[in-house]
Amino acid sequence: MLRINFLIHDLGHGGAEKVLVNLVNNMDRSKFDISVTALFGGGVNEQFLKPDIHFHAVFPKTIPGNSRLMKLLTPQQLHRLCVKERYDIEVSYLEGPSARVISGCPDPSTKLVSWIHIEQHEKKLAARAFRSYREALACYRRFDRTICVSETVRQDFCSLFPLERPVEVLYNTNETDQILRLKDEPVEEGTFRDDEIRLVGVGKVIPNKGFDRLARIHKRLREEGYPVHTYILGIGPQREEIQRYVEENGLADSFTFLGYQTNPYKYVARCDLFVCASHSEGFSTAATEALIVGTPVCTVEVSGMKEMLGENDEWGVVTENNEEALYQSIRKLLDNPAQLTLYREKAALRGRAFSTGETVRAVEQMLLKL
């Protein structure tokens, strides 16, 4: 049995954090003894780890300015601080700080894996958690295998960090059976109205997710007479700003923040269209989950979306990454109910490609080959 440790910044309410929990919960316990280490504790996804997963938080909660503080220590010093036991495999499950820590592993017999979730585009951005780009390159070159969540993420990473060892794509793990079961749970009475067209967005309410763009699109659609109601599932620092915009423009009755939900699927499944307005993504967990529950997806082009929905919109709509293009694509779907119905059928079919079993087996095979 292989002892494996996954290190992540925290288990908060982000997509990477959620799919890590999905992955480790479904791995074969006869082959792997699994630990998860969070640099900072208190994340909402900690509660979903199965009891036989060994969980440890280095610090009980996030420390302000931690990125700058961590740079005061070398990767080797950070590893001694954060990883107290010996493992056969150590995995950095996010780019940046966790990669810097795991790269400091002193045991030459331990295999190291780096998991990259987002496009970073620029060397400066990719190296911001490191002392320099030179240090970042040296750290990433210590890994025996680099895993990217989509082909576009892989191409981006390889353009920034030329590595001699393999860089491959493995898709995120979703709890498909659980999602399909939970989507049928009832929602609170009065949440939805039958005379409205329901749009939904899911994610942290931060500028990168583009919910401000979606609020402005919502305003335009309402002014043009479309009976749309937009729901946002998530929490974050930009919520107050967007809420003020909604109230100042008389949209409070048709633009609703539902907050963080342990079961977002029952809401997404009852909506007419899932919208991704993000400026950047890795391989969107929320969009994948929308497909699994059979909700059509309309998205701006970010990493992984064409892999997910097709180069020619076979499974959903992918448009240019700007506000006007997204508005036009949503409006076109609203003007064509038959097309929206067709994409609902296609979504459910495409969702089957992201089954729990297939994605977990691919990860296990990669780890066993190490």
Side-chain angles (χ1 to χ4, degrees), residues 130-307:
F130 301 84
R131 290 176 175 174
S132 65
Y133 169 77
R134 183 176 179 180
E135 185 194 61
L137 178 60
C139 288
Y140 283 122
R141 282 181 170 172
R142 290 220 62 225
F143 288 92
D144 298 282
R145 191 68 50 94
T146 299
I147 304 301
C148 298
V149 298
S150 71
E151 177 58 28
T152 49
V153 169
R154 190 192 71 82
Q155 292 175 5
D156 174 77
F157 183 81
C158 290
S159 72
L160 298 173
F161 297 105
L163 305 182
E164 296 179 358
R165 294 173 179 175
V167 180
E168 62 182 274
V169 174
L170 291 173
Y171 291 133
N172 289 333
T173 297
N174 297 279
E175 289 274 17
T176 310
D177 293 341
Q178 182 182 27
I179 290 170
L180 292 172
R181 183 177 71 255
L182 291 174
K183 79 178 180 67
D184 294 323
E185 286 190 353
V187 298
E188 298 78 4
E189 189 174 349
T191 302
F192 297 121
R193 287 176 46 180
D194 292 335
D195 61 344
E196 294 178 326
I197 301 169
R198 305 163 191 168
L199 312 183
V200 63
V202 180
K204 293 179 184 177
V205 188
I206 56 177
N208 182 61
K209 293 296 181 181
F211 291 131
D212 56 331
R213 298 203 282 192
L214 185 52
R216 291 190 292 271
I217 289 170
H218 175 88
K219 178 177 181 289
R220 292 179 68 180
L221 292 171
R222 292 289 297 190
E223 289 173 345
E224 292 171 357
Y226 293 93
V228 294
H229 193 132
T230 298
Y231 298 87
I232 304 298
L233 289 154
I235 58 176
Q238 201 185 20
R239 173 173 173 167
E240 289 186 13
E241 173 193 327
I242 298 173
Q243 188 67 50
R244 280 197 303 272
Y245 174 86
V246 167
E247 292 172 359
E248 289 168 0
N249 287 277
L251 302 169
D253 292 336
S254 63
F255 195 101
T256 303
F257 283 96
L258 292 172
Y260 172 78
Q261 300 287 336
T262 56
N263 179 7
Y265 320 114
K266 63 183 181 181
Y267 300 100
V268 176
R270 288 170 171 83
C271 287
D272 299 293
L273 184 66
F274 173 93
V275 180
C276 174
S278 297
H279 295 276
S280 64
E281 286 282 349
F283 193 84
S284 174
T285 301
T288 308
E289 291 170 345
L291 294 176
I292 291 170
V293 302
T295 299
V297 173
C298 182
T299 176
V300 292
E301 185 174 358
V302 287
S303 175
M305 287 303 190
K306 288 197 171 182
E307 290 173 66

Side-chain angles (χ1 to χ4, degrees), residues 327-342:
Y327 158 75
Q328 294 291 347
S329 292
I330 294 172
R331 186 179 177 206
K332 185 176 179 181
L333 285 169
L334 299 184
D335 287 337
N336 193 342
Q339 187 77 359
L340 202 55
T341 299
L342 178 62

Side-chain angles (χ1 to χ4, degrees), residues 89-156:
I89 303 172
E90 293 187 21
V91 180
S92 158
Y93 203 71
L94 271 176
E95 56 284 326
S98 57
R100 193 164 181 264
V101 174
I102 295 300
S103 72
C105 177
D107 190 339
S109 66
T110 298
K111 298 297 183 181
L112 307 183
V113 179
S114 173
W115 226 284
I116 309 297
H117 285 262
I118 61 170
E119 292 181 35
Q120 299 171 94
H121 301 299
E122 301 174 3
K123 290 181 178 180
K124 182 178 179 181
L125 178 62
R128 64 182 176 179
F130 301 84
R131 290 176 175 174
S132 65
Y133 169 77
R134 183 176 179 180
E135 185 194 61
L137 178 60
C139 288
Y140 283 122
R141 282 181 170 172
R142 290 220 62 225
F143 288 92
D144 298 282
R145 191 68 50 94
T146 299
I147 304 301
C148 298
V149 298
S150 71
E151 177 58 28
T152 49
V153 169
R154 190 192 71 82
Q155 292 175 5
D156 174 77

